[in-house]
Coordinates of all heavy atoms in Angstrom, one line a residue:
M1 N 20.7 266.5 -49.4 CA 19.5 266.5 -50.3 C 19.9 266.1 -51.5 O 21.0 266.3 -52.1 CB 19.0 268.0 -50.3 CG 17.9 268.1 -51.3 SD 17.5 269.8 -51.7 CE 16.5 270.2 -50.4
K2 N 18.9 265.3 -52.2 CA 19.2 264.7 -53.5 C 18.3 265.6 -54.4 O 17.3 266.0 -54.1 CB 18.9 263.3 -53.6 CG 19.8 262.5 -52.9 CD 19.5 261.0 -53.0 CE 20.5 260.2 -52.2 NZ 20.4 258.8 -52.4
R3 N 18.8 265.8 -55.6 CA 18.0 266.6 -56.6 C 18.0 265.8 -57.9 O 19.0 265.0 -58.2 CB 18.6 268.0 -56.9 CG 18.7 268.8 -55.6 CD 19.4 270.1 -55.9 NE 19.7 270.7 -54.6 CZ 19.2 271.9 -54.4 NH1 18.6 272.6 -55.2 NH2 19.4 272.4 -53.2
T4 N 17.0 266.0 -58.7 CA 16.9 265.4 -60.0 C 17.3 266.6 -61.0 O 17.1 267.7 -60.8 CB 15.5 264.9 -60.4 OG1 14.6 265.9 -60.3 CG2 15.2 263.8 -59.4
W5 N 17.8 266.2 -62.1 CA 18.1 267.1 -63.2 C 17.2 266.8 -64.4 O 17.1 265.8 -65.0 CB 19.5 266.9 -63.8 CG 20.6 267.3 -62.8 CD1 20.5 267.7 -61.5 CD2 22.0 267.3 -63.1 NE1 21.7 267.9 -60.9 CE2 22.7 267.7 -62.0 CE3 22.8 267.0 -64.2 CZ2 24.0 267.9 -62.0 CZ3 24.1 267.1 -64.3 CH2 24.8 267.6 -63.0
T6 N 16.3 267.8 -64.6 CA 15.4 267.7 -65.7 C 16.1 267.9 -67.0 O 16.8 269.0 -67.1 CB 14.3 268.8 -65.6 OG1 13.6 268.5 -64.3 CG2 13.2 268.7 -66.7
I7 N 16.0 267.0 -67.9 CA 16.7 267.1 -69.2 C 15.5 267.2 -70.2 O 14.7 266.5 -70.3 CB 17.5 265.9 -69.5 CG1 18.6 265.7 -68.4 CG2 18.2 266.0 -70.9 CD1 19.4 264.6 -68.6
I8 N 15.6 268.3 -71.1 CA 14.7 268.5 -72.2 C 15.4 268.3 -73.6 O 16.5 268.9 -73.7 CB 14.1 269.9 -72.0 CG1 13.3 270.1 -70.7 CG2 13.2 270.2 -73.2 CD1 12.8 271.4 -70.6
G9 N 14.8 267.5 -74.4 CA 15.3 267.4 -75.7 C 14.9 268.6 -76.5 O 13.7 269.0 -76.5
V10 N 15.8 269.1 -77.3 CA 15.5 270.4 -78.2 C 16.2 270.3 -79.4 O 17.1 269.6 -79.6 CB 15.9 271.7 -77.4 CG1 15.2 271.9 -76.1 CG2 17.4 271.7 -77.2
G11 N 15.7 271.0 -80.5 CA 16.2 271.0 -81.8 C 17.4 271.9 -81.9 O 18.3 271.7 -82.8
D12 N 17.5 273.0 -81.1 CA 18.6 273.9 -81.1 C 19.0 274.3 -79.6 O 18.3 275.2 -79.1 CB 18.2 275.1 -81.9 CG 19.2 276.2 -82.2 OD1 20.1 276.3 -81.4 OD2 19.2 276.9 -83.2
V13 N 20.1 273.8 -79.2 CA 20.5 274.1 -77.8 C 20.8 275.5 -77.6 O 20.3 276.1 -76.6 CB 21.6 273.1 -77.3 CG1 22.1 273.6 -76.0 CG2 21.1 271.7 -77.2
P14 N 21.7 276.2 -78.4 CA 21.9 277.6 -78.1 C 20.7 278.5 -78.0 O 20.7 279.3 -77.2 CB 23.0 277.9 -79.2 CG 23.6 276.6 -79.6 CD 22.5 275.6 -79.4
R15 N 19.9 278.3 -79.1 CA 18.6 279.1 -79.1 C 17.7 278.9 -77.8 O 17.2 279.8 -77.2 CB 17.9 278.9 -80.4 CG 16.7 279.9 -80.7 CD 16.2 279.7 -82.0 NE 14.9 279.0 -81.7 CZ 14.3 278.3 -82.6 NH1 14.9 277.9 -83.7 NH2 13.2 277.7 -82.3
S16 N 17.5 277.5 -77.5 CA 16.6 277.2 -76.3 C 17.4 277.6 -75.1 O 16.6 278.1 -74.2 CB 16.5 275.8 -76.3 OG 15.7 275.3 -77.5
F17 N 18.7 277.6 -75.0 CA 19.4 278.0 -73.8 C 19.2 279.5 -73.6 O 18.8 279.9 -72.4 CB 20.8 277.8 -74.1 CG 21.8 277.8 -72.9 CD1 21.9 276.7 -72.1 CD2 22.5 278.9 -72.5 CE1 22.7 276.6 -71.0 CE2 23.3 279.0 -71.4 CZ 23.4 277.8 -70.6
K18 N 19.2 280.3 -74.6 CA 19.0 281.7 -74.5 C 17.5 282.0 -74.0 O 17.3 282.8 -73.2 CB 19.2 282.4 -75.8 CG 19.0 283.9 -75.9 CD 19.4 284.4 -77.3 CE 19.2 285.9 -77.3 NZ 19.5 286.5 -78.6
W19 N 16.6 281.3 -74.6 CA 15.1 281.5 -74.3 C 14.9 281.1 -72.8 O 14.3 281.8 -72.0 CB 14.3 280.6 -75.1 CG 12.8 280.8 -75.0 CD1 12.1 281.7 -75.6 CD2 11.9 280.1 -74.1 NE1 10.7 281.7 -75.2 CE2 10.7 280.7 -74.2 CE3 12.1 279.0 -73.1 CZ2 9.5 280.3 -73.5 CZ3 11.1 278.7 -72.4 CH2 9.7 279.3 -72.6
Y20 N 15.5 279.9 -72.2 CA 15.2 279.6 -70.9 C 16.0 280.6 -69.9 O 15.5 280.9 -68.8 CB 15.7 278.1 -70.6 CG 14.7 277.1 -71.0 CD1 14.8 276.4 -72.2 CD2 13.5 277.0 -70.3 CE1 13.8 275.5 -72.6 CE2 12.5 276.0 -70.7 CZ 12.7 275.4 -71.8 OH 11.7 274.5 -72.1
Q21 N 17.2 281.0 -70.3 CA 17.7 282.1 -69.5 C 16.9 283.3 -69.4 O 16.9 283.9 -68.2 CB 19.2 282.5 -70.1 CG 20.3 281.4 -69.9 CD 21.6 281.8 -70.5 OE1 21.5 282.3 -71.6 NE2 22.7 281.4 -69.9
A22 N 16.3 283.7 -70.4 CA 15.4 284.9 -70.3 C 14.2 284.6 -69.5 O 13.8 285.4 -68.7 CB 14.9 285.4 -71.9
L23 N 13.7 283.4 -69.7 CA 12.6 282.9 -68.8 C 12.9 283.0 -67.3 O 12.0 283.4 -66.5 CB 12.1 281.5 -69.1 CG 11.0 280.9 -68.4 CD1 9.6 281.7 -68.8 CD2 10.8 279.4 -68.7
F24 N 14.1 282.6 -66.9 CA 14.4 282.5 -65.5 C 15.1 283.8 -65.0 O 15.5 283.9 -63.9 CB 15.5 281.3 -65.3 CG 14.9 280.0 -65.3 CD1 15.5 278.9 -66.2 CD2 13.7 279.7 -64.7 CE1 14.9 277.7 -66.2 CE2 13.1 278.4 -64.8 CZ 13.8 277.5 -65.6
G25 N 15.2 284.8 -66.0 CA 15.7 286.1 -65.5 C 17.3 286.1 -65.4 O 17.8 286.9 -64.6
Q26 N 17.9 285.2 -66.1 CA 19.4 285.1 -65.9 C 20.1 285.9 -67.0 O 19.6 286.1 -68.1 CB 19.9 283.7 -66.0 CG 19.2 282.9 -64.9 CD 19.6 281.4 -65.0 OE1 19.7 280.8 -66.0 NE2 19.8 280.8 -63.9
P27 N 21.4 286.3 -66.7 CA 22.1 287.0 -67.8 C 22.4 286.0 -68.9 O 22.6 284.8 -68.8 CB 23.4 287.4 -67.0 CG 23.5 286.6 -65.8 CD 22.1 286.2 -65.5
A28 N 22.6 286.5 -70.1 CA 22.8 285.7 -71.2 C 24.2 285.1 -71.2 O 25.2 285.9 -70.8 CB 22.7 286.5 -72.5
S29 N 24.4 283.9 -71.6 CA 25.7 283.2 -71.7 C 25.6 282.1 -72.7 O 24.4 281.9 -73.2 CB 26.2 282.7 -70.4 OG 25.3 281.7 -69.9
L30 N 26.6 281.4 -73.0 CA 26.5 280.3 -74.0 C 26.5 279.0 -73.3 O 27.1 278.8 -72.3 CB 27.7 280.5 -75.0 CG 27.7 281.6 -75.9 CD1 29.1 281.7 -76.7 CD2 26.6 281.6 -76.8
P31 N 25.8 278.0 -73.9 CA 25.9 276.6 -73.4 C 27.3 276.1 -73.5 O 28.1 276.6 -74.3 CB 25.0 275.8 -74.1 CG 24.8 276.6 -75.4 CD 25.0 278.0 -75.1
A32 N 27.6 275.1 -72.7 CA 28.9 274.5 -72.7 C 29.3 273.8 -74.1 O 30.4 273.8 -74.4 CB 29.0 273.4 -71.6
H33 N 28.2 273.3 -74.8 CA 28.3 272.7 -76.1 C 27.3 273.0 -76.9 O 26.2 273.5 -76.5 CB 28.4 271.1 -75.9 CG 29.4 270.6 -74.8 ND1 30.7 270.5 -75.1 CD2 29.2 270.4 -73.5 CE1 31.3 270.0 -74.1 NE2 30.5 270.0 -73.0
D34 N 27.5 272.8 -78.2 CA 26.2 273.0 -79.1 C 25.2 271.9 -78.9 O 24.0 272.2 -79.3 CB 26.7 272.9 -80.6 CG 27.5 274.1 -81.1 OD1 27.4 275.2 -80.4 OD2 28.3 274.1 -82.0
Y35 N 25.6 270.8 -78.3 CA 24.5 269.7 -78.2 C 24.0 269.7 -76.7 O 23.1 268.8 -76.5 CB 25.2 268.4 -78.7 CG 26.4 268.0 -77.9 CD1 26.3 267.3 -76.6 CD2 27.6 268.4 -78.3 CE1 27.4 266.9 -75.9 CE2 28.7 268.1 -77.6 CZ 28.6 267.3 -76.4 OH 29.8 267.0 -75.6
F36 N 24.5 270.3 -75.8 CA 24.3 270.2 -74.3 C 24.5 271.5 -73.7 O 25.6 272.2 -73.8 CB 25.0 269.0 -73.7 CG 24.7 268.8 -72.2 CD1 23.5 268.1 -71.9 CD2 25.5 269.3 -71.2 CE1 23.2 267.9 -70.5 CE2 25.2 269.1 -69.9 CZ 24.0 268.3 -69.6
G37 N 23.6 271.8 -72.7 CA 23.8 273.0 -71.8 C 23.0 272.9 -70.5 O 22.1 272.2 -70.5
Q38 N 23.5 273.4 -69.4 CA 22.9 273.4 -68.1 C 22.6 274.8 -67.8 O 23.4 275.7 -67.7 CB 23.7 272.8 -67.1 CG 24.0 271.3 -67.3 CD 24.9 270.8 -66.1 OE1 25.9 271.5 -65.8 NE2 24.6 269.6 -65.7
I39 N 21.3 275.1 -67.4 CA 20.9 276.4 -66.9 C 21.1 276.2 -65.3 O 20.5 275.3 -64.7 CB 19.4 276.6 -67.2 CG1 19.1 276.6 -68.6 CG2 19.0 278.0 -66.6 CD1 19.7 277.6 -69.5
L40 N 21.9 277.1 -64.8 CA 22.3 276.9 -63.4 C 21.8 278.1 -62.6 O 21.7 279.2 -63.1 CB 23.8 276.9 -63.2 CG 24.6 275.8 -63.9 CD1 26.0 276.0 -63.7 CD2 24.1 274.4 -63.5
D41 N 21.4 277.9 -61.3 CA 21.0 279.0 -60.6 C 22.2 279.7 -60.0 O 23.3 279.3 -60.2 CB 20.2 278.5 -59.3 CG 19.3 279.4 -58.6 OD1 19.3 280.6 -59.0 OD2 18.5 279.1 -57.7
S42 N 22.2 280.9 -59.4 CA 23.3 281.6 -58.9 C 24.2 280.9 -57.9 O 25.3 281.2 -57.8 CB 22.8 282.9 -58.4 OG 22.0 282.7 -57.2
D43 N 23.6 279.9 -57.2 CA 24.4 279.1 -56.3 C 24.9 277.8 -56.9 O 25.5 277.0 -56.3 CB 23.5 278.8 -55.0 CG 22.4 277.8 -55.4 OD1 22.2 277.5 -56.5 OD2 21.7 277.5 -54.4
G44 N 24.8 277.6 -58.2 CA 25.3 276.5 -59.0 C 24.3 275.3 -59.0 O 24.6 274.2 -59.6
T45 N 23.1 275.5 -58.5 CA 22.1 274.4 -58.6 C 21.6 274.3 -60.0 O 21.4 275.3 -60.7 CB 20.9 274.8 -57.7 OG1 21.3 274.9 -56.3 CG2 19.7 273.7 -57.8
V46 N 21.6 273.0 -60.6 CA 21.1 272.8 -61.9 C 19.7 272.9 -62.0 O 19.0 272.3 -61.2 CB 21.5 271.4 -62.4 CG1 21.0 271.1 -63.7 CG2 23.1 271.2 -62.4
L47 N 19.2 273.9 -62.7 CA 17.7 274.1 -62.9 C 17.2 273.2 -64.0 O 16.0 272.8 -64.0 CB 17.4 275.7 -63.1 CG 17.9 276.6 -62.1 CD1 17.6 278.0 -62.5 CD2 17.2 276.4 -60.8
L48 N 17.9 273.1 -65.1 CA 17.5 272.6 -66.3 C 18.7 272.1 -67.2 O 19.6 272.9 -67.3 CB 16.6 273.5 -67.1 CG 15.8 273.2 -68.2 CD1 14.7 272.1 -67.8 CD2 15.1 274.3 -68.9
C49 N 18.5 271.0 -67.8 CA 19.6 270.6 -68.9 C 18.8 270.6 -70.2 O 17.7 270.1 -70.4 CB 20.1 269.3 -68.6 SG 20.9 269.1 -66.9
L50 N 19.6 271.0 -71.2 CA 19.0 270.9 -72.6 C 20.0 270.0 -73.4 O 21.2 270.2 -73.3 CB 19.0 272.3 -73.1 CG 18.2 273.3 -72.5 CD1 18.4 274.7 -73.0 CD2 16.7 273.0 -72.5
R51 N 19.4 269.1 -74.2 CA 20.2 268.3 -75.1 C 19.6 268.2 -76.4 O 18.4 268.1 -76.6 CB 20.3 266.9 -74.5 CG 21.1 266.0 -75.4 CD 21.6 264.7 -74.7 NE 22.4 264.8 -73.6 CZ 23.8 264.9 -73.6 NH1 24.3 265.0 -74.7 NH2 24.4 264.9 -72.5
T52 N 20.4 268.3 -77.4 CA 20.0 268.1 -78.8 C 19.3 266.8 -79.0 O 19.9 265.8 -78.6 CB 21.1 268.4 -79.8 OG1 21.6 269.7 -79.6 CG2 20.6 268.3 -81.2
W53 N 18.2 266.7 -79.7 CA 17.6 265.5 -80.1 C 18.7 264.6 -80.8 O 19.2 265.0 -81.8 CB 16.4 265.6 -80.9 CG 15.2 266.2 -80.2 CD1 14.6 267.4 -80.5 CD2 14.4 265.6 -79.2 NE1 13.5 267.5 -79.7 CE2 13.4 266.4 -78.9 CE3 14.5 264.3 -78.5 CZ2 12.5 266.2 -77.9 CZ3 13.5 264.1 -77.6 CH2 12.5 265.0 -77.2
G54 N 18.8 263.3 -80.4 CA 19.6 262.4 -81.1 C 21.1 262.5 -80.7 O 21.9 261.6 -81.2
A55 N 21.6 263.4 -80.0 CA 23.0 263.5 -79.6 C 23.4 262.3 -78.7 O 22.7 262.1 -77.7 CB 23.3 264.8 -78.9
H56 N 24.4 261.7 -79.0 CA 25.0 260.5 -78.2 C 24.0 259.3 -78.1 O 24.3 258.5 -77.3 CB 25.5 261.0 -76.9 CG 26.4 262.1 -77.0 ND1 27.7 261.9 -77.3 CD2 26.3 263.4 -76.8 CE1 28.4 263.0 -77.2 NE2 27.5 264.0 -77.0
E57 N 22.9 259.4 -78.9 CA 22.0 258.2 -79.0 C 21.4 257.7 -77.7 O 21.2 256.6 -77.4 CB 22.7 257.1 -79.7 CG 23.2 257.5 -81.1 CD 23.9 256.3 -81.9 OE1 23.8 255.1 -81.4 OE2 24.3 256.5 -83.0
H58 N 21.1 258.8 -76.8 CA 20.3 258.4 -75.6 C 19.0 257.9 -76.0 O 18.2 258.6 -76.7 CB 20.4 259.6 -74.6 CG 21.6 260.0 -74.1 ND1 22.3 259.1 -73.2 CD2 22.4 261.1 -74.3 CE1 23.5 259.8 -72.9 NE2 23.6 261.0 -73.6
P59 N 18.6 256.7 -75.6 CA 17.3 256.2 -76.1 C 16.1 257.2 -75.9 O 15.3 257.3 -76.7 CB 17.1 254.9 -75.3 CG 18.5 254.5 -75.0 CD 19.2 255.8 -74.8
S60 N 16.0 257.8 -74.8 CA 14.9 258.6 -74.4 C 15.0 260.0 -75.0 O 14.1 260.8 -74.9 CB 14.7 258.7 -73.0 OG 15.8 259.3 -72.3
L61 N 16.1 260.3 -75.7 CA 16.4 261.6 -76.3 C 16.7 261.5 -77.8 O 17.4 262.3 -78.3 CB 17.4 262.4 -75.5 CG 17.0 262.8 -74.2 CD1 18.2 263.3 -73.4 CD2 16.0 263.8 -74.2
M62 N 16.2 260.5 -78.5 CA 16.5 260.3 -79.9 C 15.7 261.3 -80.8 O 16.3 261.8 -81.6 CB 16.2 258.9 -80.3 CG 17.1 257.8 -79.7 SD 18.9 258.2 -80.1 CE 18.9 257.9 -81.9
S63 N 14.4 261.4 -80.6 CA 13.6 262.4 -81.3 C 12.3 262.5 -80.6 O 12.0 261.6 -79.7 CB 13.4 261.9 -82.7 OG 12.5 260.8 -82.6
P64 N 11.5 263.5 -80.8 CA 10.1 263.6 -80.2 C 9.4 262.4 -80.5 O 8.6 262.0 -79.6 CB 9.6 264.9 -80.8 CG 10.7 265.7 -81.3 CD 11.8 264.7 -81.6
D65 N 9.3 261.9 -81.7 CA 8.6 260.8 -82.1 C 9.1 259.5 -81.3 O 8.2 258.7 -80.9 CB 8.6 260.5 -83.5 CG 7.9 261.6 -84.4 OD1 7.0 262.3 -83.8 OD2 8.4 261.9 -85.5
H66 N 10.3 259.4 -81.2 CA 10.9 258.2 -80.5 C 10.4 258.2 -79.0 O 10.0 257.2 -78.5 CB 12.3 258.2 -80.6 CG 13.0 257.0 -80.0 ND1 13.0 255.8 -80.7 CD2 13.7 256.7 -78.8 CE1 13.7 254.9 -80.0 NE2 14.1 255.4 -78.9
V67 N 10.5 259.4 -78.4 CA 10.0 259.5 -77.1 C 8.6 259.2 -76.9 O 8.1 258.5 -76.0 CB 10.3 261.0 -76.5 CG1 9.7 261.2 -75.1 CG2 11.8 261.3 -76.4
R68 N 7.8 259.6 -77.9 CA 6.3 259.4 -77.8 C 6.1 257.9 -77.9 O 5.3 257.3 -77.1 CB 5.6 260.1 -78.9 CG 4.2 260.4 -78.7 CD 3.7 261.3 -79.8 NE 4.2 262.7 -79.7 CZ 5.0 263.2 -80.7 NH1 5.2 262.5 -81.8 NH2 5.4 264.4 -80.5
A69 N 6.8 257.2 -78.7 CA 6.6 255.7 -78.8 C 7.2 255.0 -77.6 O 6.5 254.1 -77.2 CB 7.4 255.2 -80.1
L70 N 8.1 255.4 -77.0 CA 8.7 254.8 -75.8 C 7.6 255.0 -74.7 O 7.4 254.1 -73.9 CB 10.0 255.4 -75.3 CG 11.2 255.0 -76.0 CD1 12.4 255.8 -75.5 CD2 11.5 253.5 -75.8
S71 N 7.1 256.2 -74.5 CA 6.1 256.5 -73.5 C 4.8 255.6 -73.7 O 4.4 255.1 -72.8 CB 5.6 257.9 -73.6 OG 6.7 258.8 -73.3
E72 N 4.3 255.4 -74.9 CA 3.2 254.7 -75.1 C 3.5 253.1 -74.9 O 2.7 252.5 -74.3 CB 2.8 254.8 -76.6 CG 2.1 256.1 -76.9 CD 1.9 256.5 -78.4 OE1 2.2 255.5 -79.2 OE2 1.6 257.5 -78.8
A73 N 4.7 252.7 -75.2 CA 5.1 251.3 -74.9 C 5.0 251.1 -73.4 O 4.6 250.0 -73.0 CB 6.4 250.9 -75.6
R74 N 5.7 252.0 -72.7 CA 5.7 251.9 -71.2 C 4.3 252.0 -70.6 O 4.1 251.3 -69.7 CB 6.7 252.9 -70.6 CG 8.1 252.6 -71.0 CD 9.1 253.6 -70.4 NE 10.5 253.2 -70.7 CZ 11.4 254.1 -70.9 NH1 11.1 255.4 -70.9 NH2 12.5 253.7 -71.3
F75 N 3.5 252.8 -71.2 CA 2.2 252.9 -70.6 C 1.4 251.5 -70.8 O 0.7 251.1 -69.9 CB 1.3 254.1 -71.2 CG -0.1 254.1 -70.9 CD1 -0.4 254.5 -69.7 CD2 -1.0 253.6 -71.8 CE1 -1.8 254.6 -69.3 CE2 -2.3 253.6 -71.3 CZ -2.7 254.0 -70.2
Q76 N 1.7 251.0 -71.9 CA 0.9 249.7 -72.3 C 1.5 248.6 -71.4 O 0.8 247.9 -70.8 CB 1.2 249.2 -73.7 CG 0.5 250.0 -74.7 CD -1.1 249.8 -74.6 OE1 -1.4 248.8 -74.2 NE2 -1.9 250.8 -74.9
E77 N 2.8 248.6 -71.1 CA 3.5 247.6 -70.2 C 2.8 247.7 -68.7 O 2.5 246.8 -68.1 CB 4.9 247.8 -70.1 CG 5.8 247.3 -71.3 CD 7.2 247.6 -71.2 OE1 7.6 247.8 -70.1 OE2 7.8 247.7 -72.3
K78 N 2.7 248.9 -68.4 CA 2.3 249.2 -66.9 C 0.8 248.8 -66.9 O 0.4 248.2 -65.8 CB 2.4 250.7 -66.6 CG 2.0 251.1 -65.2 CD 2.1 252.5 -64.9 CE 1.6 252.8 -63.5 NZ 1.7 254.2 -63.1
S79 N 0.0 249.2 -67.8 CA -1.4 248.8 -67.9 C -1.7 247.4 -67.9 O -2.5 246.9 -67.2 CB -2.1 249.5 -69.1 OG -2.0 250.9 -69.0
V80 N -0.9 246.7 -68.7 CA -1.1 245.3 -68.7 C -0.6 244.7 -67.4 O -1.4 243.8 -66.8 CB -0.1 244.6 -69.9 CG1 0.0 243.1 -69.8 CG2 -0.7 245.1 -71.3
H81 N 0.4 245.2 -66.8 CA 0.7 244.6 -65.5 C -0.3 244.8 -64.5 O -0.5 244.0 -63.6 CB 2.1 245.3 -65.1 CG 2.5 244.9 -63.7 ND1 3.1 243.7 -63.4 CD2 2.6 245.5 -62.5 CE1 3.4 243.6 -62.1 NE2 3.1 244.8 -61.6
E82 N -0.9 246.1 -64.4 CA -1.9 246.5 -63.5 C -3.3 245.7 -63.7 O -4.0 245.5 -62.9 CB -2.1 247.9 -63.4 CG -0.8 248.6 -62.8 CD -0.9 250.1 -62.8 OE1 -1.9 250.7 -63.4 OE2 -0.1 250.8 -62.2
H83 N -3.6 245.6 -65.0 CA -5.0 245.1 -65.4 C -5.0 243.8 -66.0 O -6.1 243.3 -66.3 CB -5.6 246.2 -66.4 CG -5.6 247.6 -65.8 ND1 -6.4 247.9 -64.7 CD2 -4.9 248.7 -66.1 CE1 -6.3 249.2 -64.6 NE2 -5.3 249.6 -65.3
G84 N -4.0 243.2 -66.2 CA -4.0 241.8 -66.8 C -3.7 241.7 -68.3 O -2.6 242.0 -68.6
S85 N -4.6 241.5 -69.0 CA -4.4 241.4 -70.5 C -4.5 242.6 -71.3 O -5.2 243.6 -70.8 CB -5.4 240.3 -71.1 OG -6.7 241.0 -71.2
P86 N -3.8 242.7 -72.5 CA -3.9 243.9 -73.3 C -5.3 244.2 -73.7 O -5.7 245.4 -73.9 CB -3.1 243.6 -74.5 CG -2.1 242.5 -74.1 CD -2.9 241.8 -73.0
A87 N -6.2 243.2 -73.9 CA -7.6 243.5 -74.3 C -8.3 244.3 -73.3 O -9.1 245.1 -73.6 CB -8.2 242.1 -74.6
R88 N -8.0 244.0 -71.9 CA -8.7 244.8 -70.9 C -8.1 246.2 -70.9 O -8.9 247.0 -70.3 CB -8.5 244.1 -69.6 CG -9.1 242.8 -69.5 CD -8.9 242.1 -68.2 NE -9.5 243.0 -67.0 CZ -9.2 242.8 -65.9 NH1 -8.4 241.8 -65.5 NH2 -9.6 243.5 -64.8
V89 N -7.0 246.5 -71.3 CA -6.4 247.9 -71.3 C -7.2 248.7 -72.3 O -7.6 249.9 -72.0 CB -4.9 247.8 -71.6 CG1 -4.3 249.2 -71.7 CG2 -4.2 247.0 -70.6
R90 N -7.5 248.2 -73.4 CA -8.1 249.0 -74.5 C -9.5 249.1 -74.1 O -10.3 250.0 -74.1 CB -8.1 248.3 -75.9 CG -6.7 248.1 -76.3 CD -6.5 247.4 -77.6 NE -5.2 247.2 -77.9 CZ -4.8 246.1 -78.1 NH1 -5.4 244.9 -78.1 NH2 -3.4 245.8 -78.3

């Protein structure tokens, strides 16, 4: 079976890590790093990954504003591809 790992950009990995552990009913522990942590199920399945905004300059995790701009640009590209000209998209 193949699985995807959901990665969420956050401002504070340790604080968010603690919150998600409480949400999933898991015992408290610390993330592997201050900039990255994985919430794992009891069998080791990755439930969620948390990464600090801007850590390691991953394009889709630079900042919430950067993600919004990337999403809008991709939506425009897809819409233009499906509908023809940008004028028809608007």
Side-chain angles (χ1 to χ4, degrees):
M1 173 193 276
K2 293 185 180 189
R3 299 174 192 241
T4 60
W5 291 6
T6 300
I7 302 175
I8 298 177
V10 297
D12 183 332
V13 168
R15 193 175 100 208
S16 297
F17 197 81
K18 182 178 178 181
W19 188 87
Y20 279 105
Q21 284 178 321
L23 179 69
F24 291 130
Q26 297 180 322
S29 65
L30 296 174
H33 307 278
D34 286 340
Y35 60 88
F36 181 78
Q38 293 178 320
I39 305 291
L40 305 176
D41 203 352
S42 59
D43 66 358
T45 301
V46 176
L47 300 175
L48 188 64
C49 300
L50 303 172
R51 178 162 304 271
T52 302
W53 290 115
H56 303 286
E57 300 180 9
H58 294 291
S60 61
L61 292 168
M62 290 302 294
S63 73
D65 292 332
H66 186 75
V67 171
R68 206 169 294 116
L70 282 175
S71 296
E72 289 171 4
R74 288 185 181 143
F75 174 77
Q76 287 294 331
E77 287 175 19
K78 182 178 178 186
S79 295
V80 168
H81 177 72
E82 292 175 354
H83 303 288
S85 72
R88 289 181 60 196
V89 173
R90 294 184 189 118

